[in-house]
Amino acid sequence: MSHCQSPIWSAPAGQATVAVLGMPNTGKSTFFSQLTGSHAHIGNWPGLTVDLLQADLDLEGRPAQLVDLPGIYDLRGHSEDEAVVRRFLESTPIDLVVVILNASQIDRQLRLALQVRQLGLPALLLLNMADEARRFGVVIDAEHLGAELGLPVLLVSAKYRRGLAQARQAMVRQLGGASGPAAPGVAAPPAAIPLLEPLLEAGEPELPGRMAALLAAAVSLPPQWRDRLTRRLDGLLLHPWLGLPLFFLAMALMFQVIYAIGVPLQEALGALLDAFGKGVLTPLLSGLPPFLKGFLLDGLYQGLGTVTAFLPVIFLFFLAMGVVEDSGYLSRAAYLMDAFMERLGLDGRSFVLALMGFGCNVPAILGTRVMRSSGLRLLSMLIIPFSLCSARLNVFLFMAAAFFPARQGGLVIFGLYLMSFAAAIVTALLFKGRFNSSEPLVLELPPYRFPTLRQMLNRAWAEVRHFWFWARRFIVFGVVAVWLLNNLPLGVAPASDASLSGQLGELLQPLLGPIGINPKLTVALVFGFIAKEIVLGGLAVIYGQADPAALGRAVAADVSWTQAVSFMLFTLLYTPCLSTVAVIRSESKRLGFTVFSVVWSFLLAWLVSFGFFQGASLLQQLGVLG
Amino acid sequence: MRTVPLLADLVPGQSATIASLAADSGLGQRLAALGLRPGQRVELLRRASWGGPLHLRVGMTELMLRRRDAARVGITALGGAA
Ligand SMILES: Nc1nc2c(ncn2[C@@H]2O[C@H](COP(=O)(O)OP(=O)(O)OP(=O)(O)O)[C@@H](O)[C@H]2O)c(=O)[nH]1
């Protein structure tokens, strides 16, 4: 082939590019974060439409850039992730590929290492999860395997930080030592490979034979499956009839525990922040003009404070989800739910993603990338936004506490979770005909694993930081905007009918009046379209109350409980946030679909709130309901 | 009458050797990458209720596979419980 593609990207001079490549779930991300600490950032690579995680690393004086590629099964595969990896390798000069495989599954995963070998890229093979391999009786002669393959092979356990120092040294050696590139014969100055396919295709015929020979020479597999723990647990947790009830019981328990611990923490933190505002900030700011002081205290501080108070619940939520995911139970959920999801035109993976959406919708929608059929992907993207995410949860916890005694409040929250499932199910049933797919489903069920405390805490902490980062940006913006709407045009009484927000609220009354949303709540909802994190801060500004309890009382004095529930239902069902809309747009690559998804969620939200509010009002008139 | 026994016909506890894959190249590749390739021994661990997926073991890997897709995998010898 004569055409020569110039690299569209290259690292700064002297910096080596090291790509981490491996099959899904082999522990690439674990390895990556153990090696780089928390300095990783999402990088945008030219020529790739997706973002890759990358981090700078100092390899004994040699600066390197580590890039985490998506997990793939086969370099010749047809999935989007596989195409991304191919495009990356074709466009980026790489100094070293670190191939990570699951040691206990070397019997099938070795294939990927052989494919990398065919490309002739400088490489290093890490057999991760050495602990599991040992436990299951898989014995690997790494040295022998390395000699046969012609590249260094190391057994490591990323999760337990075993063998990482050696892996690091091996990386340094492969890069030609600390001095820099091009110790002769070790690492030639890299060039991107313009086309992978011919190389891979040429190597394909001899691959199975080569693999069998290598396995015979360097690996001994156990005659019998040795993971008794997984066998026993699966006997119970995947039981044809007990499996599903046990799963829902586990989920219900998980939420119980989160609230039992989280809500008191949230109240304590709220009280603390309030005391700080009253005791420290108020005297400190007393010299400022009332307008500015009100803005800083009742607007900004209150808005940020209310959301801060919810961080413990969110932390616990992500902690629990992390444990469920890491233990291997989440893949079992896909198995258990697949029969049901199939009838909705979806599959077990859609269920797992919707479940992850209870944390945040955005990564859940990104997760649909594992699906190849566009019908299945779109239908999954249509239902994920109905998952009650943590941002909405904080609105509901607040409203439930303001309008109901503790026991009833818990039921209301539970009811909203049920509603969230119901909306997803109804949506799937209505539209499965338009987005059909016959995508096959094959998923790995990994052995059960014990999550380590450190790993779980780190992860939950990272999620909370991420949430806080978003929330802060949106809240500052939202609070400023709501404040302005309430106080403009100049000279109006704040939030009165004459103010911009009053006018906006009035304007939308014909639409929102029938569902019980008054002009003040309307303003909160309008800003909630940008992000649900704004809703509470917005309410605080609109009702001019600093203390959460006082805000609760002010809202409760202004609207009835039926209006409040209608408001919650609407908040649950309409578009979660602009970020979700943006990611639906970028992932579906279809404007029409994005608009459809937004319109449908509004319509459903309106219909459900209308049904509830009118029904409840009717029952109240008949004297059936209080 | 069908002559070729299929993966979907196994009962829990049985194992067999994979003979053929009647899957399109995408699925074929994915199955192969997960270890389901001709000549490999596969064991059926259990079936989910309500027509749900199969739980299989191939080599050192455990998988779930929908029945519909398992009906595209031909097997040879049926073996007894392991
Ligand atoms: N027993 C054991 N488990 C590990 C080890 N390394 C990672 N894990 C676990 O393996 C699972 C997958 O790890 P990840 O780091 O998320 O894997 P990944 O390859 O990045 O997965 P994708 O992001 O899906 O490609 C997690 O539950 C880890 O805790 C290890 O050395 N030993």
Side-chain angles (χ1 to χ4, degrees):
Chain A
M1 196 151 277
S2 65
H3 93 247
C4 176
Q5 194 177 345
S6 66
I8 51 177
W9 187 91
S10 64
Q15 197 184 34
T17 302
V18 178
V20 182
L21 185 130
M23 292 213 182
N25 286 312
T26 50
K28 279 185 305 91
S29 312
T30 310
F31 171 77
F32 190 90
S33 62
Q34 299 280 28
L35 208 63
T36 60
S38 55
H39 310 299
H41 55 274
I42 306 288
N44 207 314
W45 290 76
L48 301 182
T49 47
V50 295
D51 299 330
L52 300 175
L53 199 64
Q54 63 188 70
D56 292 332
L57 193 63
D58 179 71
L59 288 171
E60 327 245 322
R62 175 98 195 263
Q65 167 167 244
L66 203 61
V67 186
D68 191 15
L69 296 175
I72 59 165
Y73 288 105
D74 187 338
L75 270 174
R76 303 182 68 195
H78 300 300
S79 78
E80 204 160 310
D81 281 343
E82 283 153 343
V84 164
V85 171
R86 270 196 303 271
R87 255 181 290 145
F88 180 86
L89 296 178
E90 284 170 354
S91 63
T92 313
I94 294 165
D95 297 87
L96 180 64
V97 182
V98 177
V99 181
I100 300 195
L101 303 180
N102 178 342
S104 65
Q105 297 180 343
I106 191 169
D107 58 333
R108 68 175 168 86
Q109 298 205 348
L110 192 57
R111 202 182 136 76
L112 192 61
L114 287 172
Q115 285 188 322
V116 171
R117 222 48 214 120
Q118 288 165 2
L119 297 178
L121 289 167
L124 166 68
L125 174 58
L126 298 183
L127 299 172
N128 190 30
M129 307 199 185
D131 55 304
E132 278 184 1
R134 199 172 329 112
R135 198 150 62 83
F136 302 159
V138 178
V139 183
I140 301 170
D141 182 346
E143 216 161 294
H144 190 84
L145 187 63
E148 293 278 323
L149 273 172
L151 47 80
V153 178
L154 294 170
L155 279 158
V156 300
S157 279
K159 180 170 164 182
Y160 301 103
R161 311 178 66 84
R162 302 258 161 75
L164 291 183
Q166 288 89 323
R168 222 185 150 96
Q169 283 160 15
M171 285 164 73
V172 174
R173 246 177 287 128
Q174 285 305 97
L175 286 173
S179 56
V186 181
I193 302 169
L195 269 179
L196 301 185
E197 183 52 26
L199 288 172
L200 293 171
E201 196 182 349
E204 185 77 37
E206 62 157 10
L207 221 160
R210 190 98 169 86
M211 204 165 129
L214 282 171
L215 289 173
V219 179
S220 112
L221 295 171
Q224 275 226 309
W225 184 237
R226 295 240 297 242
D227 188 8
R228 264 197 240 108
L229 173 71
T230 294
R231 187 55 31 99
R232 286 223 191 101
L233 271 176
D234 273 346
L236 182 66
L237 298 179
L238 296 185
H239 188 277
W241 302 114
L242 292 178
L244 264 186
L246 280 175
F247 176 73
F248 283 112
L249 195 70
M251 288 294 115
L253 264 175
M254 180 180 111
F255 281 102
Q256 278 295 327
V257 171
I258 293 174
Y259 295 137
I261 305 175
V263 172
L265 276 179
Q266 166 210 329
E267 281 162 2
L269 191 57
L272 205 69
L273 287 167
D274 188 47
F276 181 75
K278 284 214 177 80
V280 180
L281 290 182
T282 312
L284 215 61
L285 300 178
S286 60
L288 294 177
F291 177 84
L292 195 58
K293 188 180 129 197
F295 175 73
L296 287 176
L297 277 180
D298 301 342
L300 223 48
Y301 184 71
Q302 170 58 28
L304 287 173
T306 322
V307 177
T308 308
F310 286 95
L311 292 181
V313 179
I314 291 168
F315 180 81
L316 288 169
F317 177 85
F318 281 113
L319 193 66
M321 280 304 279
V323 171
V324 173
E325 189 186 339
D326 227 56
S327 64
Y329 199 20
L330 210 53
S331 340
R332 266 76 184 177
Y335 171 87
L336 291 169
M337 289 299 294
D338 188 59
F340 178 72
M341 297 306 282
E342 190 176 8
R343 285 162 177 82
L344 299 180
L346 296 161
D347 71 25
R349 291 171 302 180
S350 325
F351 177 77
V352 168
L353 290 172
L355 210 59
M356 313 247 290
F358 283 89
C360 175
N361 293 176
V362 172
I365 286 170
L366 287 173
T368 60
R369 279 195 194 143
V370 294
M371 302 167 171
R372 288 205 299 137
S373 137
S374 93
L376 181 63
R377 255 195 104 178
L378 293 178
L379 194 59
S380 301
M381 282 190 217
L382 205 58
I383 66 152
I384 289 171
F386 293 116
S387 293
L388 194 167
C389 67
S390 46
R392 276 171 273 187
L393 180 62
N394 77 35
V395 179
F396 300 152
L397 286 174
F398 168 80
M399 297 289 275
F403 283 86
F404 301 96
R407 268 195 85 80
Q408 269 184 10
L411 280 179
V412 169
I413 302 274
F414 181 67
L416 287 166
Y417 275 110
L418 289 186
M419 192 64 218
S420 155
F421 278 110
I425 292 171
V426 166
T427 300
L429 283 177
L430 280 177
F431 299 111
K432 71 172 181 179
R434 292 201 29 202
F435 301 103
N436 53 24
S437 101
S438 54
E439 175 158 335
L441 180 65
V442 228
L443 280 186
E444 192 192 333
L445 297 176
Y448 288 100
R449 300 187 170 120
F450 289 102
T452 63
L453 187 64
R454 179 198 156 104
Q455 215 184 359
M456 292 300 98
L457 290 178
N458 277 343
R459 225 178 101 164
W461 179 239
E463 298 279 6
V464 165
R465 262 204 338 233
H466 177 82
F467 174 86
W468 176 234
F469 174 76
W470 278 105
R472 199 176 47 195
R473 281 200 342 198
F474 280 125
I475 289 167
V476 172
F477 165 80
V479 166
V480 172
V482 174
W483 183 264
L484 288 177
L485 282 187
N486 278 341
N487 290 280
L488 290 176
L490 283 172
V492 296
S496 63
D497 292 350
S499 68
L500 283 183
S501 69
Q503 291 175 25
L504 180 70
E506 283 305 326
L507 191 73
L508 291 173
Q509 269 311 284
L511 193 64
L512 298 180
I515 65 172
I517 306 290
N518 70 15
K520 285 185 173 166
L521 295 182
T522 301
V523 178
L525 282 184
V526 168
F527 283 93
F529 182 77
I530 301 168
K532 295 295 168 287
E533 287 88 344
I534 303 178
V535 171
L536 268 194
L539 282 175
V541 177
I542 296 164
Y543 283 94
Q545 289 294 341
D547 169 46
L551 175 62
R553 282 193 297 275
V555 181
D558 188 46
V559 302
S560 69
W561 72 268
T562 48
Q563 284 178 295
V565 172
S566 176
F567 177 79
M568 286 194 260
L569 286 170
F570 199 88
T571 303
L572 170 65
L573 298 174
Y574 84 121
T575 308
C577 61
L578 267 188
S579 323
T580 302
V581 177
V583 72
I584 290 179
R585 168 82 182 92
S586 67
E587 290 298 307
S588 70
K589 301 186 186 71
R590 290 183 207 187
L591 185 60
F593 174 78
T594 311
V595 172
F596 169 71
S597 140
V598 171
V599 169
W600 165 244
S601 69
F602 263 101
L603 187 67
L604 187 64
W606 194 89
L607 288 173
V608 169
S609 295
F610 181 80
F612 169 81
F613 184 67
Q614 295 299 335
S617 305
L618 193 70
L619 291 179
Q620 280 177 328
Q621 273 163 24
L622 296 173
V624 185
L625 212 60
Chain B
M1 267 269 327
R2 233 179 22 217
T3 47
V4 191
L6 299 174
L7 184 53
D9 302 331
L10 285 180
V11 296
Q14 262 186 333
S15 43
T17 304
I18 296 175
S20 61
L21 290 179
D24 65 63
S25 73
L27 174 62
Q29 222 166 22
R30 179 55 37 88
L31 290 176
L34 284 165
L36 281 170
R37 52 176 86 237
Q40 288 282 2
R41 197 138 184 91
V42 44
E43 181 188 350
L44 180 71
L45 297 174
R46 59 177 58 78
R47 294 159 171 273
S49 49
W50 208 23
L54 309 179
H55 181 184
L56 303 169
R57 175 162 131 77
V58 197
M60 295 299 296
T61 307
E62 294 198 8
L63 302 172
M64 64 174 275
L65 181 68
R66 278 189 172 170
R67 285 181 201 199
R68 179 144 54 78
D69 305 319
R72 293 193 247 177
V73 181
I75 50 178
T76 49
L78 285 175

